Amino acid sequence: MRDSARAFLWEMLEMTSGPIVWFGHLVLVYGATSLGCSRQGEATLIGSEVVTGVTVVSTLLALGGSAWLIAHHARDLAEQGDSEARSFVDRVTIALGAFAVIGIVWTALPALIGPACPT
Amino acid sequence: MTLPALHEVPRPETEHDKLREIWRPPSGLRFITAVNNTYIGIFYVGAALLFFLLAGLLALGMRTQLLFAENEFLSQEAYNQFFTMHGTIMMFLFAVPAVEAMGVFLLPPMLAARDLPFPRLSAYAFWAYFVGGLIFFGSLFFGLAPRGGWFMYPPLTSTQYSPGISADFWLLGIGFIEISAIAGAVEILVGVLRTRAPGMSLDKLPIYAWAMLVFATLIVLAFPAIILGTALLELERAFGWPFFDAARGGDPLLWQHLFWFFGHPEVYIIFLPAAGFVSMILPTMAGVPLAGYRLVVIALLATGFTAMGVWVHHMFATGIPSLSVSFFSAASMAVAVPSGIQVFAWIATLASGRLRFHTPALFLLGFLFIFTLGGLTGVMVGLVPFDWQVHDTYFIVAHFHYVLIGGMVFPLFAAFYYWAPIASIRPLSERLGRWVFGLLFVGFNVAFFPMHITGLLGMPRRVWTYPADVGWEGLNQLSTAGAYLIAAAVLLFLIDVLRNFRLTTDKGGAGNVWNAGTLEWIENSTYGVRSIPPVDAREPLWAHRDLRELTEAGAYFLPGSVTGGRETLVTSPLEGRPQFVLQLPGPGWSPLLAAVATALGFFMLTLKLVVPALVLAGVTVAFLCIWLWGSDPGPAGPPADVGGGHVVPTSASGPLSHSWWGTVVLIVVLAMLFGALVFSYLYLWTVSRQVWPASTGQPLPAPFWPLAAAAAFAASSLAMAWANRALGRSRPDRRASERVGLGLALGLLVAAFLLELVGQRASGLSPTTSSYGALVYVGIALEGALVLALVVMGLYTLARSLTGRLGPERRATFDNTRLLWHYGVAQGLALLVLLHLAPLVLG
């Protein structure tokens, strides 16, 4: 059982990595939109087609990362059963990863089903 | 089932007497020097209630003004001050401190700790908040109160539209009170993670402690954004550095981003602890464990994260790209998932048990009803087209009062009635409590439900008065009547408190009157529980019926004091295994005086009295050094037997030490502050490229300056590593190397900072010409503040070395300084990249 300070901090980071991935994805697609879609007729810094590209690629990466996280901890959970605290952390990691998947899909939908920069 | 005793009972009476003597609170007027949670927690709750009353009185003033059309009870100027102060006080001086206060008071007994790990930090945070809050409120009596609304948007709050010092009161006062909130959050985070009862692993943590973990994490992550925002606006007002002035490359929307990056999590900072109250009280009232404990933990964590990603939904009407608002609308909808999980878990708990309709249960039912309605209107305003229709109308006022009063005030009153028996020798009155609930519930709905309609009829928020022919008068009169019913409820509550609340800190309270299952219901005193019980269940008192008696008899961990002073047991963060005995400080004047000096220093800054402010800053640092001088005492003796065969040391350093954890949290705060600066830089670059060097031709400093600064930063870190190696060796002749290393690190760090500052000055860049220059200099100022703090810490560490207070066994001070030092260097290097490479790359 890893219970040292550094290992614990790392474990907490891993436990919350699903929502961290979701947040990173949100910031990325929001940033791309800010740079690519004009505000009140101003010139844009990147083309609007880049917005769609960034959204698609980052969504696939974020979903892939979350899926890997869930699978990795599901395997951990199946392999060890000696510590309730440890399996608790694994279960929370998996559930937060699943929540992140919902959040990522939800966030990406507006960009994927509509025009890149609607007016 | 009985948990076996770890010590023979009965214990010798002298042991208990000594424990009482060690933890004896200061008598007479010196009680204000107390630092332990039983005192500071109560002070904190009392102060938060005082500000609740004051802000409530302001609300009554506003409602009286709106009673009739074209009323003149308050002048327009006074009304503007009233609504600004009402919102600001309720959010910053009541809501956040109240939930933090309850945490300071409740967490130690709930975790079976003798106290939180940094008692003097709690005392400092409380006194800074209390003194600063009173000064802030006092601005009303001199006509100096701010008038820009609780979110103080520029350009309304710029010097052009808000001349004088009223806006400065808000900016400096609130920025400073937030520092106090962060201090409290550090205490709570480290306390929950490191001072739990042995065996209380994360899966057995009381759900309230989970809520407080998320709460404190949100403070650490979100508050730095508003600290930066208030600093930027104050710099613009005081020195003309244009961050929000569009004419010079600033953008008022930057303020809104920074404010709401803090402001939305703020709602959850208030709500999550209240949800923690609900998840603790409801199972007791229903007589069954909380349904779906694990799911509720997940929901708390998910809510916390989602709260960080929805700030733009407060800015739907600002004209930002419609796709951007769609992202945040979607994210806002996602909050409904974890919130729904919690609500269903509470309903399932109710369904699986048998609810006893005591006063706390009534407040919880009121909470469920009102908060759910607030959540529903929240989903409505999360939809962009609907938000555009009701933006800045009374519909929004109704929505957020349903969320905040329903989501926080009702659970808080439930908590007062529920936990009063552990703080008072008798519980609060059931009969009066029911009246308080009834008046509050009816009054609240009478006051705020009509506001939905008033808003849909078009009444804007914050209007001083309204014409008689628009049809708003009847609804406003209903709202005013409701407001007075709420006041009656609060008055009755105060009468109840005055009649029945009799504080006890040196012997037990009224006892486990609700037959609750968690550890705070074991008899508590100033020293917490008599002995620290091992934990193997989420409701230990339900799992082991004799646990309370055996704990009170001293059968478990630390029945006395193994160090001869105040102490508590530090356990590992995941499994809760005993790791060391932490020696705790007793009463003292230094936290109180440091806090008063800090508050007065900020007050002097508000009045633009810079020299007195600097003197008071020096006084603050002096008191901080006095208070720290006695800490890091080293081992009090050989490792001690704390019970159950656990022999643990009486001090720790490095990652094992509680103070190392506090430093890590501080680094996260600093990193978020720096992150907010980087965001501001990139944001203003996207909207104001015309003031960046590529457009203006402003030369960048010659490469020598950043390269020399980077080299000095790196060498400073290396010198610190060298000092660390020297300290790790026990030979006394290595002491000189350790001191030389520290001195070198100090000199190089200061040199690095000066090289960067001089380089920018030499390039001719001015902080007042454009937002670009202002951002460059604010980055340097931020690093400068950190370098100054590190210089003080370095000199302090050197002083400890010279006086024999530093050594291989007594090095927590050095380890913490070193950790922060390396962070300071990393931030300095990142700043160099931002200021020298970013303009080249971004163009």
Side-chain angles (χ1 to χ4, degrees), chain B residues 74-221:
Chain B
L74 289 177
S75 68
Q76 184 174 11
E77 174 71 13
Y79 189 86
N80 291 348
Q81 292 187 1
F82 271 38
F83 73 68
T84 301
M85 293 295 276
H86 168 76
T88 304
I89 292 171
M90 282 297 192
M91 294 302 277
F92 293 103
L93 297 179
F94 161 62
V96 176
V99 288
E100 206 158 45
M102 291 296 281
V104 168
F105 182 75
L106 286 174
L107 283 171
M110 208 176 267
L111 306 173
R114 297 219 179 282
D115 202 343
L116 288 169
F118 307 105
R120 287 181 293 201
L121 189 64
S122 284
Y124 174 81
F126 164 70
W127 287 110
Y129 145 72
F130 185 56
V131 178
L134 286 180
I135 292 173
F136 179 68
F137 187 80
S139 65
L140 257 177
F141 299 110
F142 301 96
L144 293 172
R147 299 176 292 261
W150 86 279
F151 39 64
M152 296 289 283
Y153 283 173
L156 178 63
T157 49
S158 65
T159 45
Q160 187 181 354
Y161 300 107
S162 293
I165 60 169
S166 65
D168 305 306
F169 260 107
W170 193 97
L171 293 168
L172 290 166
I174 293 309
F176 151 67
I177 285 162
E178 278 158 0
I179 292 169
S180 154
I182 287 174
V186 171
E187 174 82 312
I188 285 167
L189 269 173
V190 182
V192 171
L193 289 175
R194 300 302 306 282
T195 58
R196 306 197 300 262
M200 190 186 274
S201 48
L202 280 187
D203 56 311
K204 296 183 188 70
L205 196 58
I207 203 78
Y208 174 69
W210 268 111
M212 292 308 285
L213 263 186
V214 182
F215 155 86
T217 307
L218 283 178
I219 286 186
V220 163
L221 296 178

Side-chain angles (χ1 to χ4, degrees), chain B residues 681-719:
Chain B
Y681 182 97
L682 294 175
Y683 177 81
L684 287 183
W685 167 74
T686 63
V687 297
S688 302
R689 274 160 289 145
Q690 73 278 7
V691 299
W692 250 246
S695 302
T696 60
Q698 163 70 41
L700 291 174
F704 162 77
W705 298 106
L707 289 175
F713 271 130
S716 172
S717 250
L718 287 174

